[in-house]
Amino acid sequence: MSPVPPRRSNTKVLAYIVLVVIAMFGFGFALVPLYDVFCEWTGLNGKVKTEAQAETMLRVDQSRWVSVEFVTTVNGSMPLEFRAGVNKIKVHPGEYQTVAFYGRNPTEKPLIGRAIPSIAPGWTTQFLKKSECFCFNEQRFEPHQEREMVVRFAIDPELPETVGDVSLSYTFFDISPP
Amino acid sequence: MSVSAIHDDHHDHGPAKGLMRWVTTTNHKDIGTLYMVTSLIMFMVGGAMALVIRAELFEPGMQFVDPMFYNSMTTLHALIMVFGAVMPAFAGLANWMIPMMIGSPDMALPRLNNWSFWLLPFAVLMLMSTLFMEGGAAAAGWTLYPPLVLQTGAAFPFTIFTIHILGVSSILAAINIIVTILNMRAPGMTLMKMPLFVWTWLITAFLLIAIMPVFAGAVTMLLTDKFFGTSFFNAAGGGDPVLYQHLFWFFGHPEVYVLILPSFGIVSQIIPTFSRKRLFGYSSMVYATASIGFLSFIVWGHHQYTVGMPIEGELYFTYATMLIAVPTGVKVFNWISTMWRGAITFESPMLWAIAFVVLFTLGGFTGLMMSISPADLQYHDTYFIVAHFHYVLVSGAVFAIIGGVYYWLPKWTGRMYDERLAQLHFWLTTLSVNLCFFPQHFLGLAGMPRRIPDYALQFAEFNAWSSVGGFIFGFSQLIFCYIVIRCMRRQGEHASDEVWEGAGEHGLEFTLPSPAPYHTWETPPNVH
Ligand code: HEM
Ligand SMILES: [Cu+2]
């Protein structure tokens, strides 16, 4: 008794499926840039641009105020002391402001860190114009050094009227070589 | 590799003798048995871990284990139950039943089949060995979220490799199942005549080949983030930990359907037999399964309502998730309609199937509650969701598997199991599973978070009940082991070929002798 001859070649079906498997493995990695593109396009996760935008003359909207709050965090066990000079400022949309932040290295060793910015509500990231930010570069702190770092930004006057407050947060990550 | 070549290797003789039979076997029934036995062992191991958890939670305060080990227990319990118990049980049932149900002499790729099984014991052993490594086993939960999971000690790379191997194993099994179903059906066995168990597995296998590679990719990124300085999920380097959650749940939500679709299939085999009617709405069952499979890819965000999503995202995922309840409802109504006016008898397989329909539906309802994003802010990461997924996974997936084992065990072994013991097993399990998990709904609503070894005093009473239920549940499974081992040792009454009255009309497998001979359907059956 001989078994039924297969209708299609098994190897052919097998090859198709293996292709799908490989494609899906690739798709997982493709999701990484796609995710960034999607977030940028929709402004979903409040990822703030990490490059400076040239300062342009914006129409200053004197008729309203937006309050901008600053949140500072140090990630994990990085020993940096990090704070904003002011907790909150009020700005007219369109006018540029400079805000100082302070970092102090209380240890005996140099510290290298990188600040990652974020804004809430997330979608307002498209209305934040930064011409200067300490988050654009690595920051190095010598032992016991205290330094001022600045952010210069404006809120785009196109920001919808319904938004009265935004929070800008910076989280310092330790990238010192071990 | 052609089927006939493999087949001729052992034409006309039974299994080889001794231990090597199991190592080198390419016979679908042997491999099915290996999967099932492994699954049962892992079910008991995973169960023991659950009892460590329930013992610690019996009273408030820290009793037996330290918090780190406690968290390792929740992590390994989940990974072992999902990848070591439920998925292998389905693979075992597929190996045993699919060729017999579609009239094929074996699986399409028997050597691959051997491989896909033998990867499994090594993977789970490696996973368990991580318990003894420096820094303890992974303790970040089965979802392995970074950055927490990156704090795992020496166990970290081993945990990731385990996932890789388990992934390869289940991809190979899925490939084999697809090729078998597409190529090896007996003449006349058209797709729309296939038993539902075969249909649900076909769709499950497609889900598996689509999602396991994505999961493998995601954990590979964890690995390179930890050891090779990449920053996929590391904010300091421009990555985003939330990206991991998207990748994980893109895998994770279809994965929960991998854990339930074959159960739908099993129940759809059992209910018609014991109702002595044809399955109501066969084709709607097939379409419902396919739509569930499709929808499962576009709802993953319901696991991430609380990580910060714009209102549009919350709305989209809420409605898309609720949509899944429609085809699921179709299935439940079809099962009930099959029983309607049937001449029902309540042998053990039927009891498990009925309990499945009732309790799975309950779990589906809590799922619907959580799909409402504003409401989920309260339920997320509490015991409410623990109750939800244990209703769908234990009284859902596991109940269907146990029911399926009782249903087909006489066919496999040629012996009838002890019906009185089996009824005892059923009632103890069903009562205790509810005692264990029902109170957890209220704990969750009252605010008890999941994944904690200690809790506030007001949760004490319900936790005590839950632990009592958990222990009764665990020990009741020893009855099951005893029943199964007895049949495997060929003790008990002989089973007839048909096994269940009229079963021959419900599936080709019941037209074969009991026990099913080592080689079946060498001449394909005539399907009309
Ligand atoms: C109508 C059907 C279902 C709906 C609407 C549903 C909905 C949900 C939602 C919204 C969550 C997330 C809750 C949260 O994290 O706050 C969830 C979690 C979960 N569901 Fe379901 N579900 C359904 C069916 C199932 C099925 C069939 C299974 C598996 C067999 C399942 C397994 C799980 C698991 C394991 C989790 C927890 C994942 C984790 O965070 O560890 N669900 N479900
Ligand atoms: Cu889900």
Side-chain angles (χ1 to χ4, degrees), chain B residues 231-506:
Chain B
S231 299
F232 288 107
F233 311 128
N234 178 358
D240 187 344
V242 176
L243 168 64
Y244 177 85
Q245 301 190 11
H246 283 287
L247 293 176
F248 181 87
W249 289 112
F250 181 85
F251 148 82
H253 189 78
E255 170 67 17
V256 306
Y257 281 92
V258 165
L259 299 174
I260 203 69
L261 291 183
S263 304
F264 290 170
I266 298 169
V267 169
S268 307
Q269 301 299 131
I270 295 177
I271 289 182
T273 304
F274 294 94
S275 308
R276 292 167 180 74
K277 279 175 64 188
R278 289 179 50 168
L279 181 67
F280 185 87
Y282 171 89
S283 46
S284 67
M285 284 298 215
V286 173
Y287 297 130
T289 313
S291 10
I292 293 175
F294 169 74
L295 289 172
S296 71
F297 281 103
I298 56 169
V299 299
W300 77 90
H302 63 221
H303 296 273
Q304 298 168 261
Y305 287 142
T306 57
V307 297
M309 216 191 272
I311 189 80
E312 295 84 354
E314 305 254 346
L315 282 170
Y316 163 74
F317 282 118
T318 294
Y319 289 127
T321 305
M322 287 182 165
L323 212 55
I324 294 202
V326 176
T328 314
V330 167
K331 306 202 73 122
V332 172
F333 284 120
N334 281 345
W335 290 321
I336 295 173
S337 309
T338 308
M339 288 190 271
W340 180 252
R341 299 197 163 170
I344 304 183
T345 49
F346 297 94
E347 287 92 339
S348 300
M350 186 60 168
L351 289 179
W352 292 97
I354 294 173
F356 170 95
V357 175
V358 175
L359 298 177
F360 170 79
T361 305
L362 218 141
F365 281 143
T366 51
L368 269 176
M369 289 171 71
M370 297 187 303
S371 68
I372 306 165
S373 52
D376 185 60
L377 297 187
Q378 182 189 356
Y379 311 141
H380 181 70
D381 269 348
T382 68
Y383 260 80
F384 191 79
I385 170 184
V386 176
H388 159 69
F389 63 71
H390 284 96
Y391 266 87
V392 285
L393 284 171
V394 181
S395 51
V398 173
F399 269 38
I401 292 168
I402 297 179
V405 169
Y406 281 125
Y407 185 50
W408 287 305
L409 193 62
K411 175 55 61 189
W412 299 336
T413 61
R415 298 298 166 132
M416 204 59 194
Y417 57 81
D418 184 333
E419 181 68 31
R420 271 187 46 230
L421 272 184
Q423 300 257 343
L424 178 70
H425 172 218
F426 170 78
W427 287 108
L428 277 176
T429 305
T430 303
L431 294 176
S432 61
V433 89
N434 284 293
L435 181 60
C436 181
F437 295 117
F438 206 76
Q440 296 183 357
H441 291 112
F442 304 109
L443 286 172
L445 292 178
M448 178 171 161
R450 66 191 282 206
R451 294 173 176 159
I452 50 160
D454 186 10
Y455 49 82
L457 287 182
Q458 71 265 32
F459 304 130
E461 208 165 319
F462 278 24
N463 268 300
W465 288 352
S466 183
S467 290
V468 170
F471 274 86
I472 300 177
F473 180 93
F475 284 97
S476 309
Q477 303 321 307
L478 294 175
I479 307 177
F480 180 56
C481 295
Y482 174 74
I483 295 173
V484 171
I485 291 171
R486 253 176 67 94
C487 283
M488 286 178 75
R489 301 181 60 182
R490 306 276 191 260
Q491 288 163 345
E493 269 176 60
H494 284 274
S496 68
D497 290 353
E498 206 179 39
V499 183
W500 312 105
E501 186 191 77
E505 285 165 38
H506 293 282

Side-chain angles (χ1 to χ4, degrees), chain B residues 53 65-77 137-142 148 450-453:
Chain B
I53 296 170
V65 294
D66 66 280
M68 182 75 184
F69 185 75
Y70 177 89
N71 287 340
S72 294
M73 282 293 108
T74 58
T75 306
L76 288 198
H77 160 71
W142 78 290
L148 187 57
R450 66 191 282 206
R451 294 173 176 159
I452 50 160

